[in-house]
Amino acid sequence: ITAIDNATGYVGSAGASCIAGSIILSDVHPNRGVIHTQAYYISANQVYARGLMNLGLSPQQIIDSLVAHDKGNPPNNTIRQYGITDNIGGGRTAGYTGVNCNVYRNHMLGTTFTVQGNILLGQQILDSMFARFTNTNGTFAEKLMAALQGAKVIGADTGCTSRGTSTISAFIRVAKPTDPQSGPYWLDLNV
């Protein structure tokens, strides 16, 4: 999930995977927005997206450019997935799920957040994350945690089904508007 909180100006990100170190997909930009580059992650795509956000491009413009200029060798945008939220005009969101991402794959867009995933048990995982973020009362960080809890189902990431767990790594990051671009962020949990 990528998200902003209009009331506080905080931006945040949360995610989990059956691959260790899932935090790599999170790129937080204090006082601006969040980018998730996931599914066959390569750092060059994330660096490229970061540069576009720093130039002020919209989430959809960033995704369009990422798809057109995939940095893979060979380029293959059909296996990538992106979710981007920024805080311009009360929030803008965009998502992309390549047709060759591992099944089940999809993304959903809210006004101030995106939820996306691949190698999932099914649409119910994204629906649960979306509903929990939307319907949880509490702080922005608590809403991000609620979204993560929405995917706490054995095999939510189907790579973990045989392990009897939902994931093996998870993170939550929240940056205040005054946090430095490269951190430390107000909240930066990586488990």
Side-chain angles (χ1 to χ4, degrees), residues 168-186:
I168 61 170
S169 71
F171 65 90
I172 298 178
R173 299 175 119 176
V174 176
K176 291 182 177 182
T178 56
D179 285 350
Q181 172 67 36
S182 59
Y185 303 124
W186 176 77

Side-chain angles (χ1 to χ4, degrees), residues 3 11 17 19 26 56 61 66 80 83 88 91 95 97-98 109 116 123 139 147 154 165 176 184:
V11 299
S17 178
I19 297 171
S26 170
Q61 289 171 317
L66 278 165
R80 312 277 186 234
I88 306 301
T97 301
L109 305 177
Q116 57 280 330
Q123 181 63 37
T139 68
I154 291 176
T165 187
K176 291 182 177 182

Side-chain angles (χ1 to χ4, degrees), residues 3-12 30-31 34 87 140-141 174-177 186:
I4 63 161
D5 182 11
N6 283 323
T8 62
Y10 291 9
V11 299
N31 201 35
V34 180
N87 64 2
F140 182 57
V174 176
K176 291 182 177 182
W186 176 77

Side-chain angles (χ1 to χ4, degrees), residues 53-73:
M53 182 168 270
N54 289 338
L55 289 173
L57 274 67
S58 73
Q60 190 60 57
Q61 289 171 317
I62 294 168
I63 287 176
D64 291 346
S65 192
L66 278 165
V67 171
H69 301 99
D70 186 82
K71 303 299 180 190
N73 187 14

Side-chain angles (χ1 to χ4, degrees), residues 65-98:
S65 192
L66 278 165
V67 171
H69 301 99
D70 186 82
K71 303 299 180 190
N73 187 14
N76 188 356
N77 61 39
T78 69
I79 61 173
R80 312 277 186 234
Q81 187 170 52
Y82 306 111
I84 304 175
T85 303
D86 76 13
N87 64 2
I88 306 301
R92 300 182 296 185
T93 62
Y96 171 79
T97 301

Side-chain angles (χ1 to χ4, degrees), residues 34-148:
V34 180
I35 301 168
H36 273 198
T37 52
Q38 53 195 75
Y40 295 94
Y41 169 87
I42 56 173
S43 62
N45 281 337
Q46 189 176 64
V47 169
Y48 182 72
R50 180 181 305 129
L52 297 176
M53 182 168 270
N54 289 338
L55 289 173
L57 274 67
S58 73
Q60 190 60 57
Q61 289 171 317
I62 294 168
I63 287 176
D64 291 346
S65 192
L66 278 165
V67 171
H69 301 99
D70 186 82
K71 303 299 180 190
N73 187 14
N76 188 356
N77 61 39
T78 69
I79 61 173
R80 312 277 186 234
Q81 187 170 52
Y82 306 111
I84 304 175
T85 303
D86 76 13
N87 64 2
I88 306 301
R92 300 182 296 185
T93 62
Y96 171 79
T97 301
V99 297
N100 290 316
C101 282
N102 293 22
V103 175
Y104 181 82
R105 62 189 177 256
N106 200 5
H107 64 271
M108 300 172 69
L109 305 177
T111 305
T112 59
F113 67 100
T114 69
V115 176
Q116 57 280 330
N118 59 87
I119 319 175
L120 297 176
L121 190 59
Q123 181 63 37
Q124 69 271 26
I125 301 300
L126 296 175
D127 290 342
S128 178
M129 292 178 68
F130 192 99
R132 287 180 183 229
F133 183 80
T134 302
N135 298 320
T136 294
N137 292 321
T139 68
F140 182 57
E142 289 168 333
K143 291 170 71 76
L144 289 171
M145 183 64 186
L148 272 183

